[in-house]
């Protein structure tokens, strides 16, 4: 019985971690150019991002040319983070609406141009929460913290299932609407074709009658 419970808990944890989104990437950006990273996030979800520019010369100060302007926005144009001419930073916010969110990095224009290497980590969902601080503030024991983490994971799975169901219903409604429009357009096309054919027949009949060919 204990083995079955352990396997069940392990399965819940694996599924929960698969539903959380973590992007950790390193990319290059040239002076005067922009690089945007997009992530689809559901509504009322916590998201945290950390970024910094890699120093090309270890042991030396970071050059003044190695700075970026960072902006995090939603697909509706709402701005959640803005930092100008920085070499590192972070942001955290709770999303309001579901959709695509973008983090754009703009490198200042320099002559001659230089290439910046940016390290960026983006977490959403359960992975975005600082569980260390939660443990310190609540003064809970390790097992209580793990149970709280698991409860958050189960809630995230529950929310994700409802989110996917809503998206499925939206796609279903869109398919029905598209089929109705296609049926209407097909009927209209047939009506137009029949009307044109009738007009052509009437025109030819009138022409032949005038020429006394029929």
């Amino acid at each position: 019985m204990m083995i079955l419970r352990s396997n069940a808990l392990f399965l819940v944890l694996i599924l929960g971690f698969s539903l959380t989104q973590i992007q950790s990437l390193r990319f290059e950006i040239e002076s005067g150019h922009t690089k945007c990273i997009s992530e689809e996030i559901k509504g009322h979800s916590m998201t945290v991002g950390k970024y910094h520019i890699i120093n090309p010369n270890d042991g030396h100060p970071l050059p003044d040319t190695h700075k970026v302007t960072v902006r995090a926005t939603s697909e509706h144009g709402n701005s959640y983070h803005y930092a100008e001419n920085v070499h590192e930073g972070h942001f955290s916010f709770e999303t309001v609406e579901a959709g695509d969110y973008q983090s754009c990095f703009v490198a200042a224009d320099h002559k001659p141009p230089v290439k910046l290497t940016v390290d960026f980590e983006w977490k959403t969902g359960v992975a975005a929460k600082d569980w260390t601080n939660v443990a310190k503030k609540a003064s809970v024991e390790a097992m209580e913290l793990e149970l709280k983490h698991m409860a958050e994971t189960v809630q995230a799975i529950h929310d994700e299932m409802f989110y996917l169901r809503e998206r499925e219903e939206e796609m279903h409604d869109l398919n029905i609407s598209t089929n109705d429009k296609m049926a209407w357009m097909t009927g209209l096309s047939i009506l137009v074709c029949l009307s044109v054919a009738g007009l052509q027949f009437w025109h030819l009949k009138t022409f032949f009658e005038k020429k006394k060919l029929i």
Side-chain angles (χ1 to χ4, degrees):
M1 190 67 176
M2 289 296 295
I3 296 177
L4 291 177
R5 289 182 179 178
S6 298
N7 291 337
L9 292 176
F10 180 74
L11 181 60
V12 169
L13 286 175
I14 293 298
L15 183 58
F17 289 135
S18 66
L19 293 176
T20 60
Q21 300 173 0
I22 303 176
Q23 279 200 28
S24 181
L25 65 158
R26 182 173 294 186
F27 57 89
E28 289 186 345
I29 179 172
E30 192 172 344
S31 299
H33 289 72
T34 301
K35 175 73 173 181
C36 291
I37 309 297
S38 180
E39 182 71 47
E40 183 180 2
I41 309 175
K42 64 178 184 290
H44 305 289
S45 178
M46 192 66 187
T47 181
V48 174
K50 295 180 181 180
Y51 54 87
H52 70 274
I53 298 176
I54 304 299
N55 194 338
N57 303 312
D58 290 337
H60 295 80
L62 193 67
D64 291 336
T65 56
H66 285 53
K67 290 184 179 181
V68 292
T69 297
V70 184
R71 183 188 297 272
T73 59
S74 69
E75 64 179 0
H76 302 288
N78 298 323
S79 180
Y80 290 92
H81 173 72
Y82 179 77
E84 188 174 1
N85 293 328
V86 295
H87 56 83
E88 65 179 1
H90 69 278
F91 59 82
S92 62
F93 58 87
E94 183 177 354
T95 61
V96 178
E97 65 275 359
D100 289 331
Y101 287 75
Q102 277 193 342
S103 295
C104 292
F105 298 80
V106 182
D109 196 10
H110 291 284
K111 300 298 181 183
V114 295
K115 280 189 176 181
L116 313 181
T117 301
V118 181
D119 191 90
F120 180 44
E121 185 180 74
W122 198 354
K123 300 178 181 179
T124 63
V126 178
K129 292 196 174 183
D130 190 348
W131 292 97
T132 302
N133 287 337
V134 171
K136 290 180 180 178
K137 291 178 181 179
S139 299
V140 294
E141 306 223 352
M143 184 57 69
E144 292 175 323
L145 176 62
E146 188 64 27
L147 290 174
K148 185 175 179 63
H149 192 179
M150 290 176 61
E152 290 282 351
T153 301
V154 172
Q155 184 64 39
I157 296 172
H158 181 268
D159 295 341
E160 186 73 16
M161 290 176 62
F162 274 94
Y163 174 69
L164 292 175
R165 184 179 298 175
E166 290 176 358
R167 293 296 298 271
E168 182 180 359
E169 291 176 354
E170 291 176 2
M171 292 301 298
H172 179 69
D173 294 340
L174 179 61
N175 289 335
I176 293 177
S177 176
T178 302
N179 290 336
D180 292 342
K181 291 179 181 178
M182 289 298 297
W184 185 83
M185 289 295 296
T186 301
L188 181 61
S189 300
I190 294 174
L191 180 62
V192 171
C193 291
L194 292 175
S195 300
V196 172
L199 287 173
Q200 288 179 339
F201 178 77
W202 175 80
H203 176 74
L204 290 174
K205 182 179 179 182
T206 303
F207 175 76
F208 288 134
E209 286 176 349
K210 287 183 178 179
K211 297 295 183 179
K212 297 181 179 180
L213 297 176
I214 58 174

